[in-house]
Amino acid sequence: MSERDGRRLLLVHAHPDDESIGTGATMAKYAAEGAGVTLVTCTLGELGEVIPAGLARLAADREDRLGEYRIGELAAACAALGVTDHRFLGGPGRWRDSGMMGLDTNDVPGCFWQADLDEAAGELLTVIREVGPQVLVSYDDNGFYGHPDHIQAHRVARRAFELADGQVSKFYATAVPKSVLAAAIHLARDNDAAGGAAGGGVDFKQVESVDDLPFGTPDEDVTTEIDATAFLDFKLAAMRAHATQIAVDSPFFALSNNLGQRAFGRECYVLLAGPRGPAFGPDGRESDLFGGIG
C-alpha cells in the first residue's frame, strides 16, 4: 500500500463494482494525493447478472464461475483507480453473494446475509489494526437501496468501528442527495440515453417524484461532498473493467437492466461518527473526508 502523507482511508463494499460506481472518483483522488487507500470487498458477487453474451456461461445458474472471474475485474478496476491495497473480507469466497432481498438465496448457508456479525466484524477489525485507517467508509443502515449484502456491510463496518475503540476517527456512509436524483428524473424524461443515478435498478423514466424512490438522502443530511471531477475518467475506466456488470458509454453507464445512468465525479457522504471538518459552500458541507482530524 502506497502512503506518502499519513492519511489512511478504508472502504468496505459489498460486491466487486460497488467501489467504482459509488466511490471510484473519491478513491482515485485520495490515492493520487498520496493517501493510503484500502478496499475491502465482502463477497465475490457470484450472483450478478452477466451482460456480455460471450460470458453468460459464467452465471450462477450455469458454470457458477462468475465470482472467480470478477476477482480479475476488480483487480483491473483497482489498478485504474490507483489503489494497490485490496482484500476480500475473510479471504476470497469466505462469504457468498446473497442476491437481492427476498430471494431464496438470502437463506443459503455461507451467504453474507447469514454471516455471524461478530465473526465478520472481527475479520474487518484485523484489517483495521493492520492498516490503521483514520477514516472508514461503507453504506447507511439501508445499504443505500436495500440489498442485503449492502445492509450487512454497513452492520459489519459499524460493529468493527465500535470494536476498534477509537482507533478509527471517522465513519461515513455513501449518499446520493435527493436533488441529484430529482435531476436524474428530469434528465431521464428529456434524454433517451440517460435514466438515472447509480443504484437500485430503477427506471427513472417511470418515476413521477423523487419522493417515490426507495432511496436517496435529503440534501440537508448530506455532510460531505468530495469534488473529484478531475478523476472522473479514472472512475469510468474502473467501471469499464467490470465488463460483466457494467456497460460504459461516457459519461453514461448501464447495468444489466440496460437503464442509462450518469457517472459523477462529485461523490457525497453522510458522517455517521467522528468530528465534522470545516464547511465550504452554501450547503456547509465538508470537502475532505479527513477534515476535523487533529
Side-chain angles (χ1 to χ4, degrees), residues 177-179 181-182 185 207-216:
K178 288 202 170 187
S179 62
L181 295 173
I185 293 170
V207 177
E208 293 296 325
S209 166
V210 68
D211 295 325
D212 297 332
L213 295 171
F215 51 82

Side-chain angles (χ1 to χ4, degrees), residues 148-236:
D149 289 336
H150 288 236
I151 294 171
Q152 188 76 316
H154 163 82
R155 293 173 178 171
V156 168
R158 178 173 281 284
R159 181 65 177 140
F161 177 81
E162 294 166 350
L163 292 171
D165 195 25
Q167 181 176 348
V168 184
S169 298
K170 304 180 77 172
F171 179 34
Y172 286 96
T174 59
V176 177
K178 288 202 170 187
S179 62
V180 172
L181 295 173
I185 293 170
H186 180 76
L187 178 65
R189 290 172 181 165
D190 295 342
N191 187 343
D192 288 339
V202 171
D203 184 351
F204 280 66
K205 294 183 177 67
Q206 305 302 317
V207 177
E208 293 296 325
S209 166
V210 68
D211 295 325
D212 297 332
L213 295 171
F215 51 82
T217 303
D219 283 49
E220 61 271 20
D221 293 341
V222 175
T223 61
T224 312
E225 182 176 336
I226 304 302
D227 182 358
T229 51
F231 296 90
L232 178 57
D233 285 345
F234 292 69
K235 174 175 179 170
L236 290 167

Side-chain angles (χ1 to χ4, degrees), residues 10-21:
L10 174 61
L11 303 100
V12 180
H13 280 286
H15 316 101
D17 80 18
D18 291 328
E19 80 297 326
S20 299
I21 296 171

